[in-house]
Each structure stands twice: as structure tokens, then as C-alpha cells.
Amino acid sequence: MKVGVLTGGGDCPGLNAVIRGVVRKGEQEYGYGFIGFKDGWRGAVEGATVPLDIPAVRGILPRGGTILGSSRTNPFKVEHGVRRIKENLVKYEVDALIAIGGEDTLGVAAKLYEEYGVPCVGVPKTIDNDLSATDYTFGFDTAVGIATEAIDRLHTTAESHMRVLVVEVMGRHAGWIALHSGLAGGANVILIPEQRFDMDQVCAWVTSRFKASYAPIVVVAEGAMPKDGDMVLKDATKDSFGHVRLSGVGEWLAKEIEARTGKEARTTVLGHIQRGGTPSAFDRWLATRFGLHAIDAVRERDFGKMVALKGTDIVRVPIVEATAKLKTVDPALYQEVGVFFG
């Protein structure tokens, strides 16, 4: 059997660990051959490939990013995209395809399997941790660690100047990074997409912090929105999956806080720093296990499934169900951490 592998969507720490796990077990134990499609679904459409074998995956475990490259290409928005993918699978004698990605990449895999019979197995990847079928996605733990370290560092400069520091983290629809890093970093305000925020309340928390002779740290997810406003956008351009480019809410928030409280406010946007660099030990562990179980699913011809973490077990769930809805922060969990606001 020959297996194709691709990584789609935004990069994140742990992708290489999945590729390594798939190839090592598939070649050593099952005698499979492998081929990598470059730059996600774009490579599958255009037939851009790289050879994959054990020598090719040596030394990549601690590396961030992906040796296969990635893109946000949607083959259903490319002329004859599906036909070209099927032709390339035949051309390169690929018997099964392992797609590593988030809701968009796996949504394509689900549709290719359900409607066109393409034998796909999915591996969940997103730093946002917003896929409902798995307890955790790899990349999330690393992103939270990076954001927490940044918040720790910002405390000292905030106290030195007695100013408000707003930290903008990633999170389009789900506030998991903001919630985890904000709590771990001792933030005084955490704002997430699931709960529209009241600027008067935010300013009250900020003022309360100053009254205690401390400088406040405000952590805000990029998709967070005020009660009386809309999402702040970098620009209105949409990618092939219909997503606009976020970022800007942190700067907007700092200006509002400064205007309303008279306290100096500055913004730090972590952006792609959260995606880059070496994966944490947990993400290497989880990504490797996902890779091992993904190739087992191929071996058993259990296509149309995604590997997922449930407790400490790796299970399989239908990709179409795994991408049906996002996992968002429960209001009760957000309320739980509210004791530290202000």
C-alpha cells in the first residue's frame, strides 16, 4: 500500500511529529510506501509531491512548522479541483490519504470521502483547541505555554510604568488560548469570543486593579467582541474558506481603555509567535500518538474517520461528525475564572 500525507491550514507545533509517527510505523511494521503532498490541498490538486520515508523524517520531532508545507487552499473552490485530486492519487498510485489539519482541512477530507469515495483518515490539528470530537488538539499546549510566558514577562514592565498592557492572542471563535494562558499568567481581565464584553465593566476591572497599586494585564482573544459593536478586522479580505483576517481588537481595546480611564495603555499582539518554534513535550507526545493511530486506521481500512483523544485513549470518530460543530468555552467555566478579574 502507498499512503499520501498532507498538512493543511495554519501551521502549528507538532505537525512533524505526526508525519514521523505515520511514516515510522507504516514503513517499519506494515511495509507501506509514502508520499507527501506539498502545501496542503494545493499539492494534492497540482500534483506537487515530496518523497517520504524513514530517512526523511529523522530529526524532525522537535521541529515546529511542517516539512510538507501548508496552505489554506480549498479544492472545492479550484476549477476541477476534486477531479484533479483523484487523478493525482491514481497517477502516484496512492491508496489512502492522511489529512492533518483543522476544521477546514478535515471538512474537505470528510466531503471527499462522503461524496467522492476518496479513502481519507483525519488527524486533528489546531492551536485553538476548538474541535469538539477530541479533548485536546496538538499545538494548543505549546501556544498556551508561549502566551503564558509572554504574560509573565509583561507583568514586570506593566508594574514598572504602571500602565495597562493588553495582550491579544489567537482565537477566532473559541477562547481556549486566552482562557488558559490568562488564568495561568495571572491576567486581571480575560475576554473571549463566546462572551461579548461590556467596556464599562472592563474599565471598572482596570480601575480596581490600579486602586490596589498594581498594573492590570488584559488578555483578549482576536475574535472577542464588545456588546455594542462588531468584530474588529485587519481587513475584509476572505480566504478560500470564507474567513476574514482577524487582529486589531487589542489595539482598539487599549485606545478605549485609555480614553475612558485616563490610564496609559499599550498592546502586544502575539500573532504567529504562538504557532512557531519547538513543540512542547505534551504536543510531541499527543501528535506522535495521533500519527501511530492514523496509520493503524489506514491499515484497517477504517476510512472517513479522525483520530481523537478521549481521556488518555486515542479513539476514532467520523470526520463528518468531528467537524460538525466547534468546541467553545462553556459559560460556567468562564464564570469560574471570573473571581480573578479586577
Side-chain angles (χ1 to χ4, degrees), residues 103 126 128-132 137 173-174 176 325-328:
E103 59 168 324
T126 168
D128 292 332
N129 198 43
D130 58 1
L131 287 175
S132 60
T137 54
H173 301 297
W176 293 109
K325 68 174 183 176
L326 293 176
K327 178 177 65 181
T328 54

Side-chain angles (χ1 to χ4, degrees), residues 234-264:
K234 193 83 170 182
D235 60 55
T237 305
K238 295 182 179 181
D239 64 19
S240 62
F241 289 99
H243 300 311
V244 292
R245 185 181 178 190
L246 297 185
S247 187
V249 66
E251 192 67 35
W252 178 87
L253 195 62
K255 289 178 180 178
E256 284 290 314
I257 291 172
E258 192 166 295
R260 295 182 183 219
T261 67
K263 299 294 184 180
E264 191 177 9

Side-chain angles (χ1 to χ4, degrees), residues 322-337:
T323 57
K325 68 174 183 176
L326 293 176
K327 178 177 65 181
T328 54
V329 175
D330 189 294
L333 181 57
Y334 183 68
Q335 186 177 11
E336 183 179 296
V337 304

Side-chain angles (χ1 to χ4, degrees), residues 12-13 126-130 135-153 167-171 174-187 190 219 270-283 327 329:
C12 84
T126 168
I127 66 170
D128 292 332
N129 198 43
D130 58 1
D135 290 349
Y136 285 98
T137 54
F138 66 88
F140 172 68
D141 185 71
T142 303
V144 168
I146 291 168
T148 301
E149 182 181 357
I151 295 167
D152 287 346
R153 291 175 180 273
V167 185
E168 182 185 305
V169 300
M170 285 184 167
W176 293 109
I177 294 176
L179 188 72
H180 281 238
S181 64
L183 181 62
I190 302 172
V219 175
L270 296 185
H272 289 80
I273 291 173
Q274 295 158 93
R275 293 190 182 280
T278 187
S280 67
F282 177 82
D283 281 340
K327 178 177 65 181
V329 175

Side-chain angles (χ1 to χ4, degrees), residues 216-230:
I217 299 287
V218 178
V219 175
V220 57
E222 61 186 353
M225 291 180 286
K227 284 185 176 179
D228 55 354
D230 297 317

